[in-house]
Amino acid sequence: MSEVTTTQAAAEEKKSVITKLDLLKAWFKWCTAVEVPVSFDRMQALAFGYSMNKILRKLYKDDPEELKNAMRRHHSMFNTNCDWGSIIHGITISLEEQRAAGEEVSPEVIQSLKLGLMGPLAGIGDSVDQGIVATIPLAIFVPMALNGSVWAAFMPGLIYLAWSYGWSWFLFQKGYSLGRKAVLEILHSGMIKKVIDIASIVGLFMIGCLSASYVKVTTALTYVNNDTTVALQDTLNGIIPNLLPFCVVMGMYLYITKRGPKYLRLMVYTMVIAIVLTFFGII
């Protein structure tokens, strides 16, 4: 039995036309071009086709008609998260390789998988990238940069780049190695919903941290206690630090939930209230 398994594995290895270098080149093209040729009608399609160009030419070098059809289908509308969407490339390359080898993989299957995964991967990718990877380093290093640390100013960008390139390359390879199985694992495991929920929770947590760090509201009011003038802000800090910034953020949140996302009006109200309170010496 082991000999049969080894033989099958060797046969599959021999059938593989795409090398690791081919995958690396396709991934690098996608990373460098993904935001360059974006258009309203096709979005990231030209970048996707550009990354697939050499792969398709290698797979269908003996079938010009099939090559033309493959080029056409991979220049149709495509739009997803740049990093997490890399797994779609890997899956697509795997399916195209199977089709070129004569297996029963129709163009409709390839297109359906691409279109079906764009939305979920965009949702999970944007939630994690913007809610966790982009915000946590900012919350950690920006205060350090404000205190004079030069290297801290560059750390959020370096961390984001390391995550972006490392994670997208991992997903690119994973999609290729698993092929259609990657789709089943993603959709049936419930991983997407779990990660989105986690990202939402961490994102809310980080919004609270950023609000406490960057929303600066203090009161100038004082009161007399035993012939001693005491600043009301010192008393508030002794009871609940950052109470006033918290009240401002929650007030804006309640306004948005009650009145809707009328951000321009909210900005005007905030400016007017701040001017009035400053004029009367309250803040």
Side-chain angles (χ1 to χ4, degrees):
M1 180 65 71
S2 60
E3 292 181 2
V4 174
T5 306
T6 306
T7 304
Q8 290 177 347
E12 291 179 1
E13 185 78 18
K14 195 173 182 179
K15 283 182 182 178
S16 180
V17 178
I18 304 302
T19 64
K20 193 97 173 245
L21 182 60
D22 294 328
L23 293 176
L24 183 62
K25 289 179 179 178
W27 166 78
F28 185 73
K29 286 181 177 180
W30 165 251
C31 290
T32 53
V34 59
E35 298 294 348
V36 178
V38 174
S39 61
F40 284 108
D41 56 339
R42 298 190 183 186
M43 301 307 288
Q44 301 166 344
L46 294 179
F48 191 97
Y50 172 63
S51 69
M52 293 286 294
N53 182 31
K54 294 294 184 181
I55 297 286
L56 296 177
R57 291 182 183 278
K58 186 173 185 178
L59 291 174
Y60 299 113
K61 60 182 179 180
D62 299 325
D63 193 342
E65 188 65 27
E66 188 63 40
L67 174 61
K68 182 175 68 175
N69 294 333
M71 289 285 192
R72 185 180 292 115
R73 65 174 165 263
H74 292 305
H75 282 83
S76 59
M77 193 274 180
F78 183 79
N79 189 38
T80 190
N81 180 271
C82 304
D83 304 332
W84 292 73
S86 296
I87 195 172
I88 301 177
H89 288 72
I91 295 171
T92 302
I93 292 172
S94 177
L95 294 177
E96 289 288 1
E97 187 176 25
Q98 293 175 40
R99 178 172 173 78
E103 299 185 29
E104 294 182 1
V105 179
S106 66
E108 290 76 17
V109 169
I110 298 174
Q111 282 294 86
S112 297
L113 288 174
K114 282 177 59 181
L115 296 175
L117 288 175
M118 285 193 313
L121 288 172
I124 186 174
D126 292 344
S127 298
V128 173
D129 289 356
Q130 304 305 321
I132 298 178
V133 182
T135 56
I136 291 179
L138 285 173
I140 295 173
F141 291 105
V142 168
M144 297 170 63
L146 292 175
N147 289 329
S149 176
V150 176
W151 64 269
F154 297 95
M155 287 305 297
L158 294 175
I159 290 173
Y160 192 88
L161 286 175
W163 159 265
S164 178
Y165 282 99
W167 184 240
S168 63
W169 171 235
F170 170 78
L171 290 179
F172 201 101
Q173 297 179 90
K174 207 67 174 174
Y176 175 74
S177 62
L178 295 177
R180 279 177 289 187
K181 293 179 181 178
V183 183
L184 297 177
E185 285 192 10
I186 291 171
L187 297 180
H188 291 175
S189 65
M191 180 184 68
I192 291 178
K193 185 178 184 305
K194 292 178 182 177
V195 175
I196 290 178
D197 291 342
I198 293 171
S200 300
I201 294 170
V202 176
L204 290 173
F205 175 76
M206 291 310 303
I207 288 174
C209 295
L210 291 173
S211 300
S213 301
Y214 300 113
V215 178
K216 304 296 184 183
V217 182
T218 58
T219 179
L221 295 176
T222 60
Y223 63 94
V224 177
N225 183 20
N226 295 330
D227 298 327
T228 302
T229 302
V230 181
L232 179 59
Q233 185 62 50
D234 294 337
T235 304
L236 293 177
N237 290 338
I239 300 172
I240 304 177
N242 294 314
L243 176 61
L244 293 181
F246 173 77
C247 292
V248 171
V249 173
M250 291 305 300
M252 291 182 175
Y253 171 75
L254 292 174
Y255 178 87
I256 293 172
T257 56
K258 297 294 183 182
R259 300 290 184 176
K262 300 176 181 178
Y263 302 115
L264 182 59
R265 188 178 300 178
L266 179 61
M267 290 173 61
V268 173
Y269 288 162
T270 303
M271 291 174 61
V272 171
I273 294 172
I275 292 171
V276 171
L277 293 178
T278 302
F279 178 79
F280 286 103
I282 298 175
I283 62 172

